[in-house]
Amino acid sequence: MTTTEITNPKATSSQKSPKEQDGTGVLELDPWLEPYSEGLKKRYAAYKVWKNKIDQAGGYDKFSKGYEILGFTISKDGITYREWAPNAKEAFLFGDFNNWNNSSHPMKKNDFGVFEIFLPNKADGSPAIEHNSKVKITMITPQNERIDRLPAWIQRVTQDLDVSPVYDARFWNPPQKYQWKNKAPPKPTSLKVYEAHVGIATPEGRVGLFTEFTANVLPRIKKLGYNTIQLMAIMEHAYYASFGYQITSFFAASSRYGTPEELMELIDTAHGLGITVLLDVVHSHACKNVLDGLNMFDGSDHQYFHEGGRGRHELWDSRLFNYNNYETMRFLLSNLRFYMDQYRFDGFRFDGVTSMMYLHHGIGYGFSGNYHEYFGDTVDLEAVVYLMLANEMLHTLYPDCITIAEDVSGMPTLCRPVSEGGVGFDYRLAMAVPDMWIKLLKEKSDDEWDLGNIVHTLTNRRYKEPSIVYCESHDQALVGDKTIAFWLMDKEMYTHMSVLTELTPIIERGLALHKMIRLVTHGLGGEGYLNFIGNEFGHPEWLDFPRDGNNSSFHYARRQWNVVDDHLLRYRFLNEFDAAMNEAESQVGWLAAPQAYVSLKHETDKVLAFDRGGAVFIFNFHPTKSFADYRIGVPDSGEYKIILNTDESRFGGHDRVSNTSQFFTTTEPWCNRDYFIQVYIPCRTALVLVKKQ
């Protein structure tokens, strides 16, 4: 199959080919999609129907600013509160401001099901509702039942577990608005993502704070060389142990960690350090809570969600959005816009995209990769169209916005522009890679490692659909699984990580392979790289949030920074290597380069070699054999030098290869390369070489 370059996605209508206009422009890149062109056309036509609706409402810019109309809005004359609740007959606003009188402030309902009330300023000119005071909406259903709810668009909710697990809504109107200091950095060309959770980012047995993350963790991330942070569990969620995936209030940043202004300061400070900040956004489902969530908001089963079984996720025990509903679409697109505008996030990692795109939600379904799985009756066309609209809206209004899809299905066209008929994401997560590493470490001895399978898994990605690769993320750190460091070193991490103790064979192997696994994944596996907080230094133990099953303990819901800061412990070697690996990438830019050319996979020697972006990567995975004068094919003639060496003593290695070594090419074809060099490559060691300038 010959794959051609794509046309410019920003081309004007007059420049577009007919295929691009009907959603089949993606065929230019992948002719194997031709039998499914009708499915692509159907998808694009459904997108166009929605796009026309949005255009009639004023376009993306106006349609996605629902938060400037609905919820609480403030003018110089007073406060307006609007709420869409079509099933309710009557509605009243009440709270601290009126001594919780649930009938004194009735709201007026319009023909579209939106209730409204205006509260003029007090005589002294101050707002009728005080900053940080509690508010609620109470409604009367057609069955004459009175129901109390938290406003759906509320931007601040708090929880007092000593009183009740149910949240309180707060009218947030601080007298001093946050003053932004820094512009967002340019969009990274090589995405190096640090996946973080503010709550666990403290060594103490409690929930961490935004201010602590800003002061203590941002400098670590900067020093490690990551240019992007992906913040988890920011949108308010009722249950801490849900890892942030049971959202109750979509427009409220979690109050567990601090105030909205403190989150703004975190993002502002990150920008000042040159770090891009992404939000882990959950639009795949919502918490089923009624009293403080969206579920049964106006007394009906189907306001924001599908009714009946289609509106419920049987494994997650949560509600599923009706993406074909006009106000649901406004709510979700406005939610994205809100975090871009108000908090100045730089993009999103969309959670649960597989669950969204298929009517079976991926439950009990094994994707084979056959194209019929992506364009048949099992696809949730409404959800796919929502994702197309969300991506197009974000990239239209914010050209440098970054969107990442968490998809395990392998959906073709997921990361192609909407103008071609794609879904519009910038990146997808390479979710098969961590599964491969865990399977290898669990089931295979070192001499059984299949280099061909490793290479295939790391390089098996769609052409021009960028992937973010990772060895492990939060999923692998959770209780019930083990981190790579724990699989490698297990209980000896408790007894032999001190430099004052002997370097046992288990620790020696663990340190060596931990570095090599990260490097081969970084170099070969994608167009971006992701690391979960703490895994850069082989964080001991697992992650387990306080819950009934562990007596509400925070012991495993924290990050033990003390072990990496202690110079007598070997964790610092892994941490130093992570920083050096990211620095080497910054010098070469291999993540932004085309896929690597793999020149050697020697299953007996366990030697792997490839070149990418001008750098030559050499890995010797053999547990015992070292090789002198080993021939490695290289793309260009000249002198090569080492820019990264996993065997350096500062990385816990043995300094068996001198970093000042010189490697001169021989003009003779080798491993399908025009030249070769000869290297000494010790066992369980990897080298990265570049041409000497």
Side-chain angles (χ1 to χ4, degrees):
M1 179 180 72
T2 302
T3 309
T4 59
E5 289 292 318
I6 65 165
T7 56
N8 179 5
K10 295 181 179 177
T12 61
S13 300
S14 61
Q15 294 173 309
K16 290 181 179 179
S17 70
K19 282 187 175 181
E20 288 174 305
Q21 291 177 336
D22 66 5
T24 57
V26 290
L27 299 182
E28 297 292 328
L29 258 162
D30 187 357
W32 294 99
L33 286 168
E34 183 72 51
Y36 306 94
S37 58
E38 289 307 311
L40 288 164
K41 290 177 184 177
K42 181 181 177 182
R43 186 169 84 181
Y44 195 76
Y47 146 77
K48 288 294 290 182
V49 169
W50 259 109
K51 181 67 167 62
N52 289 336
K53 288 182 187 178
I54 291 171
D55 286 344
Q56 288 168 15
Y60 283 131
D61 184 47
K62 185 175 179 182
F63 188 78
S64 63
K65 283 186 175 177
Y67 52 88
E68 292 186 353
I69 302 168
L70 290 150
F72 290 93
T73 57
I74 303 162
S75 69
K76 61 180 176 53
D77 299 318
I79 300 165
T80 303
Y81 170 53
R82 297 185 184 94
E83 195 73 72
W84 177 64
N87 185 59
K89 291 196 307 179
E90 300 175 64
F92 305 83
L93 178 65
F94 70 127
D96 289 336
F97 74 97
N98 68 354
N99 295 315
W100 295 97
N101 185 328
N102 65 7
S103 60
S104 64
H105 286 73
M107 302 176 71
K108 185 183 292 186
K109 187 179 184 181
N110 71 12
D111 294 340
F112 300 99
V114 176
F115 287 90
E116 178 176 338
I117 186 173
F118 176 72
L119 288 77
N121 289 336
K122 296 176 185 176
D124 63 0
S126 63
I129 306 176
E130 289 187 11
H131 166 60
N132 204 27
S133 63
K134 296 178 185 178
V135 289
K136 268 189 178 180
I137 181 173
T138 184
M139 291 169 280
I140 309 297
T141 70
Q143 294 76 36
N144 291 317
E145 177 190 2
R146 181 179 285 275
I147 54 176
D148 295 348
R149 299 288 187 264
L150 304 193
W153 297 70
I154 196 72
Q155 296 177 19
R156 175 74 169 170
V157 295
T158 58
Q159 185 183 47
D160 186 349
L161 289 172
D162 292 333
V163 177
S164 167
V166 178
Y167 275 90
D168 294 312
R170 303 272 183 172
F171 176 70
W172 196 255
N173 183 28
Q176 297 296 320
K177 306 301 182 190
Y178 182 77
Q179 299 299 309
W180 293 86
K181 304 173 187 66
N182 301 298
K183 287 185 177 181
K187 184 178 181 177
T189 51
S190 294
L191 211 62
K192 296 187 279 273
V193 183
Y194 194 86
E195 185 184 39
H197 184 291
V198 171
I200 69 164
T202 172
E204 298 176 31
R206 56 173 176 81
V207 178
L209 304 175
F210 288 133
T211 51
E212 294 170 330
F213 192 94
T214 302
N216 303 328
V217 184
L218 285 182
R220 293 180 184 272
I221 297 170
K222 175 67 175 176
K223 189 175 180 182
L224 285 166
Y226 289 93
N227 55 26
T228 305
I229 303 171
Q230 179 181 299
L231 285 178
M232 306 178 62
I234 293 298
M235 301 162 74
E236 192 58 273
H237 46 292
Y239 186 39
Y240 187 50
S242 75
F243 223 148
Y245 293 123
Q246 292 280 343
I247 308 299
T248 45
S249 294
F250 282 74
F251 288 83
S254 181
S255 57
R256 288 179 179 86
Y257 320 126
T259 67
E261 289 68 33
E262 287 165 348
L263 174 56
M264 292 173 188
E265 182 187 32
L266 187 162
I267 296 166
D268 196 11
T269 306
H271 285 166
L273 293 170
I275 298 172
T276 296
V277 187
L278 307 180
L279 174 68
D280 193 357
V281 71
V282 186
H283 282 180
S284 47
H285 64 130
C287 180
K288 70 174 186 179
N289 283 15
V290 172
L291 295 179
D292 55 5
L294 287 180
N295 190 19
M296 305 290 290
F297 183 83
D298 65 356
S300 70
D301 183 44
H302 55 272
Q303 184 184 356
Y304 288 99
F305 309 108
H306 287 292
E307 60 185 330
R310 191 179 173 192
R312 287 165 173 80
H313 197 292
E314 60 185 66
L315 286 187
W316 296 345
D317 194 25
S318 55
R319 295 304 312 269
L320 298 174
F321 287 107
N322 178 0
Y323 301 102
N324 206 39
N325 179 294
Y326 192 85
E327 291 302 329
T328 301
M329 182 68 75
R330 187 204 305 274
F331 183 85
L332 294 175
L333 291 183
S334 297
N335 192 226
L336 298 172
R337 183 79 184 273
F338 174 79
Y339 283 106
M340 295 292 290
D341 269 3
Q342 302 299 304
Y343 286 100
R344 302 196 185 182
F345 278 96
D346 303 298
F348 302 93
R349 177 258 201 194
F350 282 73
D351 177 70
V353 168
T354 305
S355 174
M356 294 174 73
M357 293 194 299
Y358 304 95
L359 295 170
H360 52 65
H361 308 301
I363 300 172
Y365 194 94
F367 290 93
S368 67
N370 192 303
Y371 279 9
H372 78 271
E373 298 170 331
Y374 308 116
F375 301 100
D377 294 338
T378 59
V379 174
D380 189 334
L381 193 61
E382 295 169 2
V384 175
V385 167
Y386 163 68
L387 292 170
M388 294 170 74
L389 293 163
N391 276 298
E392 188 179 55
M393 182 269 287
L394 288 167
H395 290 109
T396 299
L397 299 176
Y398 308 95
D400 288 340
C401 177
I402 297 168
T403 59
I404 302 168
E406 187 212 26
D407 171 46
V408 73
S409 75
M411 166 70 82
T413 76
L414 187 66
C415 298
R416 294 307 307 164
V418 174
S419 59
E420 296 175 13
V423 184
F425 284 99
D426 295 300
Y427 298 90
R428 72 195 325 146
L429 292 177
M431 299 182 73
V433 172
D435 293 341
M436 173 200 70
W437 287 123
I438 296 298
K439 187 177 174 67
L440 264 182
L441 295 171
K442 282 171 71 171
E443 299 177 6
K444 302 288 185 182
S445 62
D446 293 2
D447 54 4
E448 293 177 318
W449 282 25
D450 182 343
L451 295 186
N453 179 61
I454 292 171
V455 168
H456 174 74
T457 305
L458 287 171
T459 57
N460 183 26
R461 54 190 187 271
R462 292 184 58 79
Y463 179 63
K464 286 193 176 292
E465 292 198 40
S467 292
I468 291 180
V469 72
Y470 55 105
C471 314
E472 50 188 342
S473 70
H474 65 271
D475 290 323
Q476 287 70 41
L478 285 169
V479 65
D481 205 339
K482 292 181 181 179
T483 62
I484 287 177
F486 222 52
W487 277 114
L488 287 166
M489 296 177 278
D490 207 41
K491 63 181 184 293
E492 287 206 10
M493 292 184 79
Y494 297 114
T495 57
H496 287 82
M497 285 299 276
S498 169
V499 295
L500 303 179
T501 61
E502 65 169 318
L503 182 64
T504 65
I506 287 176
I507 297 296
E508 183 180 33
R509 169 183 178 267
L511 294 176
L513 289 181
H514 199 276
K515 292 176 289 185
M516 294 179 73
I517 286 170
R518 279 182 286 162
L519 181 58
V520 72
T521 303
H522 206 307
L524 196 56
E527 288 69 38
Y529 177 78
L530 179 143
N531 167 73
F532 178 66
I533 181 171
N535 287 346
E536 67 273 13
F537 61 86
H539 195 283
E541 304 175 326
W542 50 90
L543 183 61
D544 190 14
F545 285 87
R547 54 189 173 84
D548 290 341
N550 64 12
N551 294 317
S552 299
S553 171
F554 280 88
H555 182 72
Y556 296 110
R558 59 196 180 102
R559 297 287 88 176
Q560 299 179 46
W561 302 113
N562 55 295
V563 301
V564 70
D565 292 340
D566 189 335
H567 284 269
L568 292 178
L569 296 181
R570 294 184 168 110
Y571 295 99
R572 67 181 172 90
F573 298 142
L574 299 177
N575 195 69
E576 286 285 332
F577 175 74
D578 212 68
M581 178 173 65
N582 282 331
E583 172 57 28
E585 195 288 328
S586 294
Q587 291 179 39
V588 174
W590 63 67
L591 288 171
Q595 276 224 38
Y597 180 82
V598 180
S599 58
L600 179 65
K601 295 174 288 190
H602 200 298
E603 299 292 354
T604 304
D605 292 348
K606 297 297 176 201
V607 174
L608 167 66
F610 59 88
D611 52 82
R612 186 179 183 189
V616 177
F617 295 74
I618 309 162
F619 295 81
N620 180 5
F621 284 100
H622 203 287
T624 57
K625 284 186 180 178
S626 300
F627 302 101
D629 296 326
Y630 203 90
R631 284 192 180 188
I632 299 293
V634 295
D636 300 303
S637 65
E639 181 186 347
Y640 284 78
K641 65 175 183 177
I642 294 172
I643 62 163
L644 189 62
N645 171 9
T646 66
D647 197 47
E648 277 192 64
S649 56
R650 66 186 176 117
F651 307 144
H654 302 291
D655 280 331
R656 289 170 292 180
V657 180
S658 170
N659 281 348
T660 59
S661 301
Q662 297 171 299
F663 306 94
F664 295 94
T665 54
T666 298
T667 306
E668 181 182 325
W670 188 259
C671 293
N672 291 317
R673 286 326 218 181
D674 291 337
Y675 313 94
F676 70 80
I677 55 174
Q678 290 177 281
V679 302
Y680 171 53
I681 182 74
C683 60
R684 289 190 181 133
T685 295
L687 304 173
V688 181
L689 279 57
V690 295
K691 266 191 71 175
K692 193 170 182 179
Q693 297 302 317

